[in-house]
Amino acid sequence: MAMKAATAAISANYQMCRGIRAFCSSSSTFPFNLPKTNIEKPPPAEPSTNLFVSGLSKRTTTEGLRDAFAKFGEVLHARVMTDRVSGYSKGYGFVRYATLQEAEAGIKGMDGQFLDGWVIFAEYARPRPPVPPLNNRPPQGQW
DNA sequence: CGTGAGCGA
């Protein structure tokens, strides 16, 4: 059975509404009577070497993400966030480039592209507030 | 069911 491709296509089609939720109201057949939420979520386009990649497949690993983004620049770090308890991929990851140029190139090169049969989205990551309440971890500064 | 939006050990 070749249903994997069909599943990927459906998933990709479903994710097409990721950045245009304002016009993808499932409760309306056409954007005539738009709700009060005509405003769309402003993308945190804050220049940073940290890239947040979402829409990854469950089977996409860190190497796959790194290899996918290494074609647009030298990836210093790439990690697909997998759950610590279940061990399965959460479906998103982070990629750090050497410079902002490579990061921008990576975003513009991989944002909206396919990876492992799923449409992935790359954007600048946000600065994390503090570190998790771990007591046996070195302070921030590893990266 | 790793079921699908998201921001990290």
Side-chain angles (χ1 to χ4, degrees):
Chain A
M1 291 298 184
M3 299 176 65
K4 285 186 176 181
T7 308
I10 296 176
S11 313
N13 193 17
Y14 181 84
Q15 296 183 14
M16 291 300 290
C17 300
R18 205 262 330 177
I20 48 177
R21 290 200 187 99
F23 297 123
C24 279
S25 308
S26 304
S27 305
S28 184
T29 54
F30 208 75
F32 273 150
N33 43 5
L34 286 177
K36 55 183 166 79
T37 50
N38 195 10
I39 53 176
E40 57 187 51
K41 184 171 52 180
E46 187 173 323
S48 177
T49 49
N50 292 64
L51 263 58
F52 172 69
V53 186
S54 52
L56 296 177
S57 179
K58 303 294 183 182
R59 57 192 108 177
T60 304
T61 179
T62 305
E63 295 182 351
L65 184 66
R66 184 176 192 141
D67 184 73
F69 279 79
K71 297 180 294 186
F72 299 93
E74 184 178 0
V75 179
L76 297 184
H77 248 61
R79 174 185 291 177
V80 174
M81 293 313 304
T82 48
D83 191 73
R84 283 291 182 177
V85 268
S86 57
Y88 287 94
S89 309
K90 290 182 179 178
Y92 63 92
F94 294 90
V95 176
R96 165 169 281 199
Y97 278 101
T99 51
L100 294 177
Q101 302 96 12
E102 295 178 328
E104 189 177 14
I107 291 181
K108 293 181 179 177
M110 290 301 302
D111 182 58
Q113 296 302 323
F114 280 83
L115 182 57
D116 201 63
W118 282 77
V119 180
I120 68 174
F121 294 98
E123 53 185 351
Y124 297 106
R126 310 176 195 164
R128 289 191 314 174
V131 283
L134 291 182
N135 43 12
N136 213 355
R137 287 288 174 179
Q140 40 185 317
Q142 293 181 337
W143 321 14

